[in-house]
Amino acid sequence: MDDADEGDGDAMEAATPPFRAAVDALEGARLRPEIEIEPTRPPQRLAPYTYALEAAVVQEGEDLADGRLVLLHDPAGHEAWQGSFRLVTLVRAELEPEMAADPLLPEVCWSWLTDALQARGLAYGEPSGTVTRASSHYFGGLAARPAASQIEIRASWTPREGLGGVPDTAAHLASWCDLLAQIAGLPPAGPGDSSVVTLPQRRGPDSR
């Protein structure tokens, strides 16, 4: 692990100043206390520079939702991104079966992502993604287990760059955490947000 950490440090030293500034902003962001977040090994070969965070919404020792946020940077720009930065995410939570049966659930969950970005006044482009719900039913030796349902959001978007070619990654992270909290069923953190609809609190996602 020491060698791996040293390699990560060397890669960061070799990174462009905009990427280093974007990562520093992520590491310095202040988030609501129910969200536990830490750096994790980013996927390789997606971009010249990558950085990743894992997060879980934890309340009273129980995981209600979890996710991963990956920052990609290609100094030369990327035609599909329409920019030099890209944010990629996975968010998931376990649902009660009756909630999973709602035919409008995928559209609602996708709107939570775009609404979270817009609520903080963030400029972004080229959003894309999927919302998947899955149900598990148990039989035989597992028949005693109750049926389980899960919602999963996979998405990516291009954060618009500001001064020095650096996007406001701290604000994008805060918006992503708003989404994570919302899918976990937590009430809105700020005043004036009582109109936001969240899913009821429930069991956390199954262990990976």
Side-chain angles (χ1 to χ4, degrees):
M1 288 297 295
D2 290 340
D3 291 342
D5 291 341
E6 183 177 350
D8 291 344
D10 292 342
M12 189 59 66
E13 286 295 323
T16 66
F19 182 72
R20 291 200 301 269
V23 171
D24 287 345
L26 289 174
E27 293 177 339
R30 299 184 64 180
L31 308 172
R32 59 189 295 175
E34 300 94 339
I35 296 179
E36 298 181 358
I37 193 165
E38 63 182 2
T40 187
R41 181 59 58 88
Q44 304 299 310
R45 301 187 181 91
L46 294 181
Y49 303 103
T50 60
Y51 182 80
L53 294 165
E54 281 187 337
V57 179
V58 180
Q59 196 169 53
E60 298 179 354
E62 184 178 17
D63 286 7
L64 301 178
D66 64 21
R68 175 176 294 192
L69 184 69
V70 181
L71 176 68
L72 308 178
H73 177 53
D74 186 340
H78 195 291
E79 183 178 357
W81 303 350
Q82 294 296 300
S84 64
F85 283 90
R86 188 77 171 170
L87 286 163
V88 181
T89 185
L90 163 67
V91 172
R92 63 180 188 171
E94 190 171 335
L95 303 176
E96 297 299 336
E98 58 271 19
M99 291 297 300
D102 186 342
L104 296 179
L105 185 64
E107 289 80 3
V108 170
C109 288
W110 180 256
S111 72
W112 287 348
L113 170 62
T114 56
D115 289 350
L117 294 168
Q118 293 166 8
R120 293 182 179 270
L122 294 172
Y124 68 97
E126 309 306 317
S128 64
T130 61
V131 177
T132 304
R133 51 185 167 185
S135 298
S136 298
H137 299 266
Y138 300 94
F139 301 93
L142 301 177
R145 292 189 183 183
S149 299
Q150 189 177 79
I151 192 76
E152 180 181 276
I153 302 172
R154 293 179 180 268
S156 63
W157 67 94
T158 298
R160 295 306 183 207
E161 299 162 16
L163 293 176
V166 182
D168 188 352
T169 50
H172 281 271
L173 173 59
S175 293
W176 180 72
C177 287
D178 292 342
L179 168 66
L180 196 63
Q182 194 166 11
I183 200 172
L186 297 187
D193 295 333
S194 59
S195 62
V196 176
V197 177
T198 59
L199 294 182
Q201 289 189 10
R202 54 202 168 276
R203 300 185 304 276
D206 295 334
S207 298
R208 283 182 288 240

